[in-house]
């Protein structure tokens, strides 16, 4: 065996040892990352108490559960609809501590102690909320899928105006907002109706606003 053979064997051994060493060094972080992913995937349960439609409800939930899913799946309050599930359509709108929110965008555990009102809590078939009655009178719905979110949002809109909260359509940021169609249209713009009942919805809101003016 000449010097060139020895050099070839030495190089081969060097490459093998190097590959084994690199693999050994890379293995622990890989195992650690895999273990971390497994820990993240493990559900964590948490107890949360929320007053929903006037009734205190105690829930034991996966901390990743949205308020929308808690209402629908855990409390069987299916009036609140899951539309886009990305906060873009407004079908899941509920009223939380007097303010409307997209329940698909917030976790249930974030509402410990909150007071949540869903469409079921606004009125019943025997005793409709004025906004529900106005939607029926003015045909403010067609397929009805978006209607619970529309009504909850409409009720909260009138509350926002009463509280002096301005919108992009408000003439002044300091003066009291007006109970007018342009205000209603702007404030309801986050609630999408694929059937296109917008004008009827504004008529329904206007009637309730005038009755309570």
């Amino acid at each position: 065996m000449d010097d060139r053979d020895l050099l070839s064997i030495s190089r081969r051994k060097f490459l093998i040892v190097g590959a084994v060493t690199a693999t050994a060094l890379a293995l622990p972080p890989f195992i650690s990352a895999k273990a971390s992913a497994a820990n993240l995937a493990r559900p964590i349960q948490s107890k949360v108490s929320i007053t929903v439609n006037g009734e205190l409800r105690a829930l034991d939930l996966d901390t990743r559960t949205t308020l929308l899913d808690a209402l629908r799946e855990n409390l069987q309050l299916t009036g609140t609809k899951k539309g886009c599930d990305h906060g873009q359509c407004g079908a899941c709108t509920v009223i939380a501590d007097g303010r409307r929110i997209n329940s698909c965008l917030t976790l249930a555990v974030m509402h410990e102690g909150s007071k949540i009102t869903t469409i079921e809590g606004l009125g019943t078939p025997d005793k409709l909320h004025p906004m529900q009655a106005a939607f029926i009178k003015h045909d403010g719905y067609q397929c009805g899928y978006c209607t619970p979110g529309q009504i909850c949002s409409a009720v909260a809109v009138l509350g926002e105006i009463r509280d002096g909260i301005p919108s992009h359509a408000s003439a002044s940021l300091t003066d009291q907002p007006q109970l007018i169609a342009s205000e209603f249209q702007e404030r309801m713009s986050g609630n999408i109706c694929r059937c296109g009942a917008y004008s009827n919805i504004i008529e329904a809101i206007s009637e309730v606003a005038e009755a309570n003016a």
Side-chain angles (χ1 to χ4, degrees), residues 66-83:
T66 64
L67 178 60
L68 171 60
D69 286 336
L71 292 171
R72 289 181 57 84
E73 306 299 332
N74 295 83
L75 299 179
Q76 287 74 54
L77 295 172
T78 55
T80 305
K81 302 304 182 189
K82 178 177 285 192

Side-chain angles (χ1 to χ4, degrees), residues 17 28 35 37 49 52 72 79 91 93 99 126 138 144 147 159 161 164 211:
V17 171
S49 296
V52 181
R72 289 181 57 84
T93 303
R99 294 285 178 254
D126 296 328
H138 292 278
T147 306
I161 294 175

Side-chain angles (χ1 to χ4, degrees), residues 4-209:
R4 286 178 299 179
D5 293 332
L6 290 174
L7 181 60
S8 176
I9 293 172
S10 177
R11 184 181 295 114
R12 185 182 304 114
K13 287 183 177 179
F14 173 78
L15 292 174
I16 292 172
V17 171
V20 171
T21 302
T23 302
L25 290 173
L27 193 57
F30 171 76
I31 293 174
S32 177
K34 188 174 181 180
S36 297
N39 288 333
L40 289 173
R42 185 180 299 118
I44 300 174
Q45 296 294 117
S46 178
K47 296 185 183 300
V48 58
S49 296
I50 307 174
T51 300
V52 181
N53 299 331
E55 181 182 354
L56 183 62
R57 307 299 295 267
L59 301 170
D60 188 5
L61 300 170
D62 184 322
T63 54
R64 299 167 296 184
T65 304
T66 64
L67 178 60
L68 171 60
D69 286 336
L71 292 171
R72 289 181 57 84
E73 306 299 332
N74 295 83
L75 299 179
Q76 287 74 54
L77 295 172
T78 55
T80 305
K81 302 304 182 189
K82 178 177 285 192
C84 67
D85 211 22
H86 286 80
Q88 297 176 346
C89 72
C92 68
T93 303
V94 298
I95 302 171
D97 297 321
R99 294 285 178 254
R100 55 188 171 140
I101 62 170
N102 290 327
S103 59
C104 73
L105 292 183
T106 183
L107 299 175
V109 294
M110 297 170 63
H111 292 277
E112 170 68 35
S114 292
K115 295 180 180 180
I116 306 295
T117 303
T118 71
I119 190 67
E120 292 92 343
L122 286 179
T124 65
D126 296 328
K127 189 177 181 181
L128 294 174
H129 185 281
M131 191 67 73
Q132 292 172 314
F135 264 66
I136 293 172
K137 176 182 176 180
H138 292 278
D139 196 19
Y141 58 91
Q142 289 183 39
C143 79
Y145 195 84
C146 72
T147 306
Q150 296 273 6
I151 291 176
C152 285
S153 192
V155 170
V157 158
L158 296 185
E160 291 169 6
I161 294 175
R162 285 194 301 270
D163 292 342
I165 299 173
S167 77
H168 289 294
S170 300
S172 169
L173 295 179
T174 56
D175 294 340
Q176 179 69 28
Q178 301 300 302
L179 294 167
I180 55 178
S182 59
E183 284 281 359
F184 304 151
Q185 290 166 347
E186 170 62 29
R187 293 170 190 266
M188 292 293 294
S189 61
N191 290 81
I192 306 303
C193 174
R194 293 185 65 184
C195 299
Y198 296 115
S199 60
N200 298 357
I201 290 170
I202 298 304
E203 289 175 3
I205 298 173
S206 298
E207 178 175 298
V208 176

